[in-house]
Amino acid sequence: MNLIDAFLAQVEARPDAVAIITPRGGKVSFAGLSRGSAARAAAMQRAGIGAGDIVLIARGVSVELYETLLAVFRLGAVAMFPEPAAGLRGLALAIEAAKPKAMAAGGLGRAMRLVSPALGSLRLLPDPDDRDGYGDRVAHLPGGAPALITFTSGSTGRPKGIVRSADFLMLQHALLEKVRRTTP
C-alpha cells in the first residue's frame, strides 16, 4: 500500500479532469499532476532519497507543493512539515528531532536557508530537469510505516512531532469522504 495509489487510481479514471485550480485560474489535470510528481520523484531519487528518508518540505501552497508531496509518497519517503509559528528556534528544534535527510523548498524556503543555520545544513533537493523521466516509480511499504511528520508548537515551547502512518492517513481520508460525500 502506498498513499500514491489512491491518487493514481484517480489519474487512471479521470486523467484529463482538473485536479488543481491555481489562484490565477490555471488548471492542472490529474495526468499533469501525476507527470509533475513523477518527475520530482525521479529528481529526488537521483539525489539519493528513498523509502523511509525524511524530507522537510518548505513550499507555499502551490502546484509544486502537491507535486512534491506526491513525489515523497511515490518514493515511500516521509514528508515533514515544521510548524511555521514556532519561528527559527522551533524550526531548528524540529530539524534536530526529526533529522530530515534533505529539504524540498520553493523561493521563501530557499531564502530562509540564509538566516537559519539548521535549514542551511540540509541538502537542498533539485527541481526536476530534462534527465528526469515520467516513470511511475512507486515504493510499497507496510501501512504502518511513517508517511508524514507535522509539528505543533507545544505547550512547553518545544515543538512536538506527530508521526502519521500511511494507514492512518488513508483512514482519515476515508472518514472525511464519508462526511464530505465528494463526487467527481
Side-chain angles (χ1 to χ4, degrees):
M1 172 65 186
N2 186 309
L3 290 170
I4 197 77
D5 291 332
F7 170 72
L8 292 176
Q10 288 297 311
V11 173
E12 187 174 324
R14 307 169 54 228
D16 298 324
V18 175
I20 295 176
I21 299 173
T22 68
R24 292 195 171 118
K27 295 178 181 174
V28 180
S29 69
F30 280 100
L33 188 57
S34 181
R35 281 190 302 275
S37 69
R40 285 189 189 281
M44 288 180 187
Q45 188 173 45
R46 186 171 33 84
I49 299 299
D53 290 335
I54 298 172
V55 176
L56 185 148
I57 300 176
R59 291 188 178 278
V61 177
S62 62
V63 172
E64 293 79 14
L65 169 67
Y66 290 100
E67 288 176 348
T68 301
L69 185 58
L70 290 166
V72 168
F73 291 157
R74 280 179 183 272
L75 297 173
V78 181
M80 174 188 165
F81 288 96
E83 170 58 54
L88 292 177
R89 177 170 154 51
L91 176 63
L93 291 169
I95 289 170
E96 179 185 321
K99 298 182 179 23
K101 185 172 184 178
M103 173 182 176
L108 181 58
R110 289 174 186 257
M112 284 184 59
R113 292 170 50 83
L114 301 174
V115 296
S116 168
L119 280 180
S121 70
L122 294 176
R123 184 165 39 109
L124 187 60
L125 292 173
D127 284 328
D129 62 27
D130 293 338
R131 294 178 285 177
D132 301 314
Y134 299 121
D136 278 331
R137 298 167 181 85
V138 177
H140 291 281
L141 304 173
L148 176 69
I149 302 171
T150 58
F151 285 83
T152 65
S153 54
S155 59
T156 64
R158 186 170 188 85
K160 292 176 179 51
I162 302 166
V163 180
R164 294 174 183 87
S165 68
D167 282 349
F168 177 89
L169 293 174
M170 289 306 296
L171 176 61
Q172 184 178 35
H173 169 72
L175 292 172
L176 285 172
E177 282 302 301
K178 284 183 181 182
V179 171
R180 294 184 318 188
R181 296 183 185 141
T182 58
T183 62

